Amino acid sequence: MPREGGENDPETEEVLLLEKNLWKPWPRTRTKVKGCLGYVKRVLFVVGDDWIFLFALGVIMALISFTIDFTVNKMLIAHWWLFQELGDNMLLKFLSWTVYPIALTAFSTGFAQSVCPESAGSGVPEVKTILTGVVLEEYLTIKNFGVKVVGMTCTLAAGSPIFLGKVGPFVHLSCMIAAYLGRMRASATNEYENKNKQYEMLVAGAAVAVSSCFGAPISGVLFSVEVVSSHFAVRHYWRGFFAATCGACMFRLLAVFNSEQETILAPFKTSFNIDFPFDLPEMIFFLILGAVCGVMSCAYLFCQRWLLGYIRRNSIIVKLMAMEKAVYSGLVALLLSSITFPYGLGQFMASRLTMKELLYSLFDNNTWIVLTQNASLSRPHVVDPENLWLEWWDPTFTVYGTIAFFLVMKFWMLVLATTMPMPAGYFMPVFLYGAAIGRLFGEVVAYFFPNGIWTDGVLNLIIPGGYAVAGAAAFSGAVTHTLSTALLALEMTGQLSHILPVLLSVLMANAIAQRYQPSFYDGTIIVKKLPYIPRFWGSQKGSCMVTTDQYMNRNLAPVVKSWGFRDILNALTSSADTEFPVVESEGSMVLLGSVARSELLYFLHSYTGQDTVVEGTPSSGLEKNVGEVCSIQPITFQLSTQTSLYQAHELFELLNAQLMFVTDGGKLVGFVTRTELRKAIEDLALGKTPVQI
């Protein structure tokens, strides 16, 4: 039965209000609670909303890191239990050793490629590209996050036969959470999320990722700045350090609560001699170790980039990768796991150890060549946690032979594993590989100086574990072109006594690697052809002699300020540009600013009154022009014809610009995009661009 009275009747409004609040009891209590929550929100945001979201970022990523590690550890324990329970049946043992990583890697690849192909790989090259201002769709979505977590967990659970890590994907994951929290922050504060805020949150996310993986907040911030940022403002340091500290503290506390550690300690705690950790003459040996790591990193980077390019060129592999990427990953996993079978070649590569145990063993404080002199040595049937170094011992090969064989085999195996199209990290494997280089170098030095080195009447013994720490930092730093790996290695081991020799090794390795090869992430960007501006290699002298007028694009499509309907229609139909330069007149070509394509479409629609513009619409009698209707944006930064390539490169990186117009005396003569800039840098590296000296 309809109610009497109109919509504006007071009685009707009262009835409607009562019906609206019928299922909302205790209105006064709800009002008080809502007011308290609003007050808390205002107080917290007065203190600083950045602190809240950065704290949340650190805690969330620490929880995710711990959960992944916990899950992977249980899966590895289950795999090892199955391997042990099969007894002496070598066939079943071989099948359990190989089928397990094959199934996990194939599932990781298939799941990633079918749900979100953008989740494959490390993700760091894409994050570097995004931070330059390029928009990459699907790389920071929640769907990509879920796929990356599942795929990375399966990759890590495949174990040491596959020999891959989690740092790179975790950087990608952390940046996804940072981007999501940034949008939440903008929604909660009713503020517009500008590009600067997005940049700050993404860099902080990269810092949190490293600190949540290793519990190393200081080196995590420095590593993120070196790897993903081309330019970094010092005033943003506090964001990265605060978020990284929260993540590292939470990660280490969770390890204590899970009874993995008795208290908060370094993840790979060592016990080197603090009084005399190294002698002054050993500085020469550490420099030599850095040079060796630099040369090895150049060989690794060249082979890895060549193999990635070969896979994209080989017709057979291209067809396989196009149809069945999971089959390719399964075949690679079959090869790698077969070689690492513990009762085959794997017994000479310490394949029974997990990657964490491998790093623990290489950082051992003892000198293995001295321990092997014990005649009663024998390799245990199961891994002895107190004597992990026994996995490197063989009565025929000796420790030198096993470590050398490990280095030779893992070199090409790691290069091959990086071609698998699944979520995986590549920093931890190169860090561990560098530790093996340093361990072998230290054992050789200990062999030639069995009684140590005499200095001022004091005998100081050689500590091979210190060389392993230096080798890990030097090789990983050379591969990634970073210096913060020196501090990362020291934070991971809790040993600051070796800071000087470790830093010297890292500097020497970087000096060689940066001179001859791009970093691992830059090389991946080159192979994937991502829209990223490469760095200058070698001398920058040639880049200062190349000017803008030698490589700029002269195919202009300017819009004259006085143009009407017909001219704008012709300009839009003849060009697909999203931004057009606006000039005073076709004769003067004086640059006034730029106008977006959407503004020009609005200009057309304002005359037609409909979304579709008919080509034959007459333009006679139109009084309005572009200057009167459209919003012309002023151009703050522009290039001149005499701007050097080096200066243009710096401006593009600093401003995250995608396009810059070129003027000569205020007259528009061309424009430069990232495409022209990248081609000019590549031509200069190949010697194609003429340089006037």
Side-chain angles (χ1 to χ4, degrees), residues 180-257:
Y180 186 74
L181 289 176
R183 291 193 291 269
M184 287 183 59
R185 174 190 175 279
S187 176
T189 58
N190 296 322
E191 293 181 1
Y192 174 72
E193 187 185 13
N194 55 41
K195 292 184 178 180
N196 291 332
K197 285 293 184 181
Q198 293 175 350
Y199 183 89
E200 295 164 10
M201 288 297 293
L202 290 179
V203 174
V208 169
V210 179
S211 63
S212 298
C213 288
F214 301 117
I218 301 176
S219 56
V221 175
L222 299 178
F223 184 80
S224 66
V225 171
E226 287 185 289
V227 170
V228 302
S229 303
S230 57
H231 289 79
F232 187 79
V234 179
R235 65 179 180 272
H236 300 323
Y237 251 141
W238 71 269
R239 290 180 172 84
F241 276 112
F242 177 73
T245 302
C246 294
C249 290
M250 177 60 67
F251 182 73
R252 293 191 181 186
L253 285 174
L254 290 172
V256 175
F257 294 155

Side-chain angles (χ1 to χ4, degrees), residues 132-159:
T132 62
V134 179
V135 178
L136 296 179
E137 299 293 340
E138 299 294 332
Y139 276 96
L140 295 178
T141 60
I142 296 298
K143 180 178 70 172
N144 195 349
F145 176 86
V147 175
K148 199 96 175 181
V149 169
V150 175
M152 182 176 62
T153 303
C154 295
T155 301
L156 295 174

Side-chain angles (χ1 to χ4, degrees), residues 83-129:
F83 183 79
Q84 292 292 329
E85 289 297 316
L86 294 176
D88 297 330
N89 193 320
M90 288 296 109
L91 177 59
L92 293 180
K93 279 182 172 290
F94 177 79
L95 291 176
S96 68
W97 183 264
T98 56
V99 172
Y100 187 79
I102 290 173
L104 288 175
T105 53
F107 174 79
S108 177
T109 303
F111 183 71
Q113 294 298 325
S114 60
V115 179
C116 186
E118 292 82 4
S119 64
S122 166
V124 174
E126 289 78 10
V127 172
K128 289 188 67 172
T129 306

Side-chain angles (χ1 to χ4, degrees), residues 530-541:
L530 294 174
Y532 183 81
I533 303 175
R535 296 180 181 179
F536 293 106
W537 306 114
S539 176
Q540 297 176 347
K541 185 177 181 180

